[in-house]
Each structure stands twice: as C-alpha cells, then as structure tokens.
Amino acid sequence: MTAETLRIHPDEPEPALIEYVVASLNNGNVVALPTDTFYGLAVDPVNLQAVDRIYDLKARARHKPLSLLIAEVAQAYELARQLDSAFDRLAEKFWPGPLTIVVKAGSRLPLRVTANTGNLALRVPEAAIPRAVVSRLGLPITATSANLAGFPECAYASGVLEQLGDKIPLIVDGGPTARTTATTIVDLSGGGNSWMILREGAIPTHEIALALQH
C-alpha cells in the first residue's frame, strides 16, 4: 500500500475534498495533514482502534496522551471541565496558534485518548485544513506529529510520504507548514490558576507568563 496524496488548498480548503478526508477518518483510517507547525496524524478520537493504530505507528508509549486539534475555543468547553480564567486568557491571546493547553478532561471522550491521565491537550491551530476537517467531522482530531519515532518532524507532505507512505492510506498535501517549531505546551490541569510549561516551543515562556499576569 502506498498512501494516496490529496492536494488541498491551504487557505481555502475545497469542501468536497474535506468531505473526502472526513469519510476516510469515519472509516477508522489514520490521515496525515498539515497543521500550522508540522504535519500531524489525525484520527477520529472516539474510534479506539484508530487511536491504537497511531500509538503503534509512532511506537508511542501508551501513557502519553495524544494532543487534539479543535476548530474553535467553544469546543474546549464541551470537552474539558473546570476551565478557569487562566485558560480563558491563554485561549484569547494565543488561539488560533501554536499553543497546546493541557486541561482536565470531561466525560465526552474515551479515557484511552487521555492515556488514562484524565487530562486533555487541546489546541486551535492557525491552519485552515485541520479546522475545516474538525468542523465537518464534529469532533476533535488527534494531532501527534506525522513522523516515525527517532525521525524528524515533517514540514512537507513529501517528508510524510517518505517516512509513512507505506503505513497510512491518505496524506493531505497542503504545501509547507507555516512554522517549523513545535507548539509550546502549558499544563493548567492543576487548577486554581496554577500553570506549568511542559515544553517551550513557538511561544516563549515569558509571553505565557505575561498573558497570565494580566
């Protein structure tokens, strides 16, 4: 099997092509698509077999939750619980954008997606393609980077084809990603407006601190 490559306009994704991607996700497939940082591997997070497939593909430890892309801030309120003013400030300032926020999971998604941690890692990406897919699917999609363990992340569809072309059925080519730095990950799951940087990426720590002070 060699992956099919589907070219989609990065700024104005064609609805019929988004429909095609969503149909593939609904069939339990893993689909690679561009985000605003790197290409990511998307599945329907409620399909546990599809979620397992990602862990297998990436040889990823089962205790590591998968981060999820959502289309708008409102979706975070449907998926998470106990969101506080720290979340509101960060979401308002940095979404859409390269910030992943770890929050307490609500009951809508299976525990497997949270790797049984009870936490969700959420992000609204700047890229139009994943947002269009999420809107059409009506669910968040997973967003772990589309690369094999120990290999570099991919900023181009051709890199994904090289690494994963014989392992997944569909690669969405939306051109090069806007950035080549990973997202910053902030953990707000401790509640009480406490926060912790789990990974410093595209957004520097001091900008996060500044946003949370005001």
Side-chain angles (χ1 to χ4, degrees):
M1 170 181 91
T2 303
E4 175 190 358
T5 300
L6 182 68
R7 177 86 192 161
I8 295 184
H9 195 286
D11 304 319
E12 293 166 16
E14 299 85 346
L17 299 182
I18 293 297
E19 198 68 56
Y20 185 81
V21 173
V22 168
S24 189
L25 292 171
N26 279 330
N27 284 334
N29 291 325
V30 178
V31 177
L33 44 73
T35 74
D36 45 350
T37 53
F38 294 109
Y39 273 73
L41 294 177
V43 295
D44 166 355
V46 178
N47 182 329
L48 294 182
Q49 278 179 310
V51 171
D52 276 344
R53 210 164 284 143
I54 281 201
Y55 278 101
D56 292 341
L57 269 177
K58 296 266 297 183
R60 186 179 173 88
R62 301 278 162 166
H63 66 273
K64 287 185 169 179
L66 297 170
S67 78
L68 298 173
L69 298 180
I70 54 179
E72 54 191 6
V73 177
Q75 262 182 306
Y77 283 87
E78 295 166 16
L79 299 167
R81 60 190 172 87
Q82 297 170 352
L83 295 177
D84 54 26
S85 61
F87 171 82
D88 293 333
R89 282 180 201 155
L90 293 180
E92 194 179 327
K93 181 152 175 60
F94 298 112
W95 281 359
L99 180 68
T100 300
I101 306 178
V102 178
V103 291
K104 289 249 170 266
S107 55
R108 274 196 63 187
L109 292 175
L111 273 174
R112 185 88 55 90
V113 179
T114 77
N116 295 318
T117 59
N119 292 337
L120 289 178
L122 299 176
R123 176 161 91 87
V124 178
E126 269 166 336
I129 292 172
R131 288 212 312 267
V133 169
V134 169
S135 295
R136 189 67 197 86
L137 183 67
L139 284 166
I141 53 174
T142 59
T144 185
S145 57
N147 59 305
L148 294 169
F151 285 77
E153 289 105 337
C154 303
Y156 292 86
S158 56
V160 183
L161 188 62
E162 218 170 276
Q163 290 188 41
L164 295 165
D166 58 346
K167 294 179 171 62
I168 59 176
L170 182 61
I171 296 170
V172 172
D173 184 352
T177 57
R179 292 184 185 78
T180 50
T181 312
T183 64
T184 294
I185 304 176
V186 181
D187 188 352
L188 299 181
S189 65
N193 286 324
S194 67
W195 61 281
M196 181 168 61
I197 299 281
L198 300 183
R199 177 178 75 195
E200 185 171 42
I203 298 168
T205 301
H206 70 263
E207 284 190 29
I208 303 287
L210 209 58
L212 289 172
Q213 271 166 21
H214 297 303

